[in-house]
Each structure stands twice: as C-alpha cells, then as structure tokens.
Amino acid sequence: VTAMIIILFCRRIFVRCVIICGQTCKHVFLRLVEPEKDPDFWKEWAQRTLKNALTLQDLNKNVAKNIILFLGDGMGVPTVTAARILKGQMSGQSGEETQLEMDKFPYVALSKTYNTNAQVPDSAGTATAYLCGVKANEGTVGVSAAAVRSQCNTTQGNEVTSILKWAKDAGKSVGIVTTTRVNHATPSAAYAHCVDRDWYSDGDMPTEALQSGCKDIARQLFENIPDIDVIMGGGRRNMYPRNTPDVEYPGDKKHNGTRKDGRNLVGEWIDRVKDKKSYYAWNRKDLLSLNPNNVDYLLGLFEPADLPYELERNKETDPSLTEMVDVAIKILRKNERGFYLLVEGGRIDHGHHEGKAKQALHEAVEMDRAITRAGLLTSIYDTLTVVTADHSHVFSFGGYTPRGNSIFGLAPTVSDIDQKPFTSILYGNGPGFKLVNSTRENVSTVDYGKYLQADRYLILPRSSYIWDTWNVGIFGILFFLLFYGMLCSC
C-alpha cells in the first residue's frame, strides 16, 4: 500500500514539475513558482501526503446513518480536471494547484460505465446501475436488462428497486435534488420503473403503451414511493393538464402543462400531505423563506423543464444547487434514523451536449460548492458522502498550455496543418465546427471572457455532442465506499 501511495504521489509531482513555457497569466504564475523552486517545498508536501495516507489505515468503522450521493451528470475525468482549474482561476489563482472538495476525499476509485446493450452509455441505464445495483439497457430506468426500450410489455416482472426505496423502507428520510427535471433520467431511476426515459408525462407516451397499462415517470414520482420527503428540481409542465398555463410563464405556451389524463399532480400532492408539515415552492423566495424545522415534506418545482444554467440563473426566482442542498439536508437530518439524499448536477451534461464548455464547467464548480455545504451540515463520523458521474463526454483540453493559462483560452502554438490558433478545450464531435470562407475560423479573435460557446475544431461535426465511454471517478469520504461500490455493480 505504501509503495502504491509513493507511486501515485510521484506521478502527481511529475505533473506539477513539467517545464513551464509561455507568458500567459505570468503575474499569477510568478506568485506560485517561487516556493516551488525550493526542493523542500515538494519534500514537505510529500511527507504530509504520506502521513495523511498512513492514518487512513485506521479505518472508520462507524455505521453510516446518512448517505449523500452527488452525481455529476457527464462529469468525466477531463471535466473534473478542468473544473478544478476554473475554480482556482475564479479566485485569482493559477488554478492547477486548486483542490475541489471531492479532491479532499480520502478514497478514490474508477467505475466502468457501459450499458448492457451499449458500449457508450446514457444517463438512464447508468442511473439504474448506481441506484439499483443492476446494469441495464440504454434508455431504461428502474428495470433490468430483460426490459426492452419503448416496449411497454417488457416492464412487468423486470422492475428493480433503488437505494432510495431501501432507505425509506428502513425508516430513513429520503430526498432528491436536481438541476434538471425531477423526472429526468438520473432522478427517475430512484423511484420509477419505465422502459423509456422520455416518457416524462402521459403526453409523451404512445397510445399503445398507455393502453397496456404503463405509467409515465411524473406519475410514478408521486405514486411509487408516495412519501418521498424532499423533491426539488424542474419539470412543472409534466405535472399539470395539457394547456394549463405555467405559473411563472403564463403567456408562453411552450411551458403549458402536457398531461393528457387531466390530472394535477402538484395539487394531488398538496392535498395528500395537507395534514402534515408540508410545503410547496415554485420560486427561490418561497424556498428560502421556509423554516426547515417546521417542514417535513417539501416539493419544489422551480421551472417548467430544466433549471437554467448557473451562469444564466435568475437569482430572484431560481435557487442554486447549493441552496437546494442546504434546505434539503436541514429537513432530512431531523430524522433520528438518518437520511438518504440524491443530488444531481445535471446540467454539466447539458452544457457539454451543446458544446458550451463554459456553462458545463461552471455547473461543475457550483456542484463543488454544494458538496462543500453538505460537508458543513453533516459529520464524517455518521455520513457517507460519495461523488461520482454516470458517464463522460468527448471533452478534452491540452495543447502545451503554460501554467495559469485561462481554461477557456487558446493554446500557445498554432496548428501545424493550417497554421491557425486553436482553443485549449476541444470536443471530439458536435455543433462547434465552423468554416469561414471555406476554411477554419481564426479563433484568436474570440473574446472568451464573454463568449459562452467558443468555436471548436472538431473531428466529427454533429448537431449535438454525444457521450463517450471513459471510466468515471468515484470519490468517497468514508470507508463504506468500498461496499457501496461493489453494491452498485457500476
């Protein structure tokens, strides 16, 4: 074990000792490099790291009362690395030396992300794997691999249950917090059994499936486990009858309700829990005005569909992921038996799909803030916190950039093919490919401080970016991670 620690640390030193070239962010770099010129700087760091690692041999054998799973959708290893640099640069540092909150966790592992029928996975099949412990087909949630996507008659008998259900059955409080719709792929695997992740409401389902008795995911949210203590995210339009105007955007028909069965699921929830300490919120002000000590059941639906990106968030109406996590934990932790909380930074994935690296990475940094907040509200002695991802993206960055180079900036050299600059960040496929006068645009003219979607040089032009099949990281704060990782069969 000691030898492995030394090897891993030496690799880390090697990365930090790569010869630095270029003058970008020179003032930041100079502040950092002076102590690093002293060999004792690295030796002392190595000693601290080794001592910390050796103390982990005395394992924490406490029984975890609480479990918090942070899921960064699409947050592969390159995204974690780039988000780490961005976090540091946002505070005026070079960035490379910064630590994300998950970097401080003592246990790290890798997870294989393939679906049973797909080399490159999607968020539905992977959610079934890490929440239910059973690998599944692409596009299906809460069902085994015997279920076939979009074939309703393969649902019955192939349902699998999730850790959220197990926790509820054990008397714990349970919650779901997401920046996507609460009936999107990741959260839906916690409570639903559906052969198609896109069946958000009955308005999205084929007639044959409805006639065969299959239920839409929004309906299952309130019926399968009717006493989920905390639910927060987007997805209002899937809860209301078709053509019902949205409370926030009454004049915009695209946000109207979508249900064909005429049911008002929000109204039904409010009526069902009216005699309990319950609260419904559709905006940030309502959420932050509640007293967690007086609320046992919370439903927060803050947008008709997904919540906006953190960089575009209306701070008057939409809560941040950190704010939602704060309220959720304060409600759930009142249960003496403990709680289970699923937190999804879901729009990391969406930013990458759209080729908006700036959006994706700021979403990852916001999830890091939420992890920090959760740590302040809980104790490592009774709470297992796990941070991981469901899949990666064809996202990378490189180009011999000097230390302190803006994560959204240009590489210091030009292409040896067309002699034009290129961005450090690159996508392997997607919508960013652009030609000007039949040739690649000179991207050195782009203002990356303002531009949210820089043009990238791509291998395969597509209308949207697609996932890749990288292993993803798992970061754990307690030894229980080893058991949890085996349980998930990820």
Side-chain angles (χ1 to χ4, degrees), residues 264-335:
N264 179 340
L265 298 180
V266 173
E268 293 178 14
W269 180 89
I270 293 173
D271 186 63
R272 189 174 69 242
V273 297
K274 63 184 179 182
D275 296 327
K276 303 177 181 179
K277 294 180 180 180
S278 59
Y279 195 89
Y280 170 66
W282 64 267
N283 60 64
R284 180 177 183 265
K285 181 179 178 181
D286 287 349
L287 177 68
L288 299 186
S289 67
L290 68 82
N291 183 345
N293 293 324
N294 297 331
V295 176
D296 293 332
Y297 293 92
L298 170 63
L299 174 62
L301 300 175
F302 304 108
E303 283 290 329
D306 303 316
L307 272 61
Y309 289 115
E310 177 62 21
L311 286 178
E312 300 172 0
R313 179 170 62 88
N314 183 331
K315 295 178 173 57
E316 296 295 321
T317 57
D318 295 307
S320 67
L321 181 61
T322 301
E323 290 168 339
M324 291 191 291
V325 167
D326 179 272
V327 174
I329 292 177
K330 288 177 178 177
I331 292 174
L332 297 174
R333 69 181 180 182
K334 295 182 296 183
N335 189 337

Side-chain angles (χ1 to χ4, degrees), residues 374-449:
L376 294 173
L377 294 172
T378 57
S379 168
I380 63 171
Y381 297 104
D382 65 3
T383 303
L384 164 62
T385 302
V386 178
V387 183
T388 189
D390 50 357
H391 58 76
S392 187
H393 270 274
V394 287
F395 165 84
S396 64
F397 67 98
Y400 299 109
T401 50
R403 185 159 173 187
N405 196 74
S406 169
I407 193 62
F408 302 117
L410 299 175
T413 58
V414 297
S415 166
D416 61 356
I417 301 298
D418 61 12
Q419 286 72 52
K420 287 186 177 181
F422 60 95
T423 56
S424 173
I425 285 176
L426 297 168
Y427 283 98
N429 56 53
F433 188 86
K434 185 176 182 179
L435 295 178
V436 177
N437 297 324
S438 301
T439 186
R440 187 164 64 90
E441 184 183 26
N442 186 340
V443 293
S444 65
T445 61
V446 175
D447 183 352
Y448 292 98

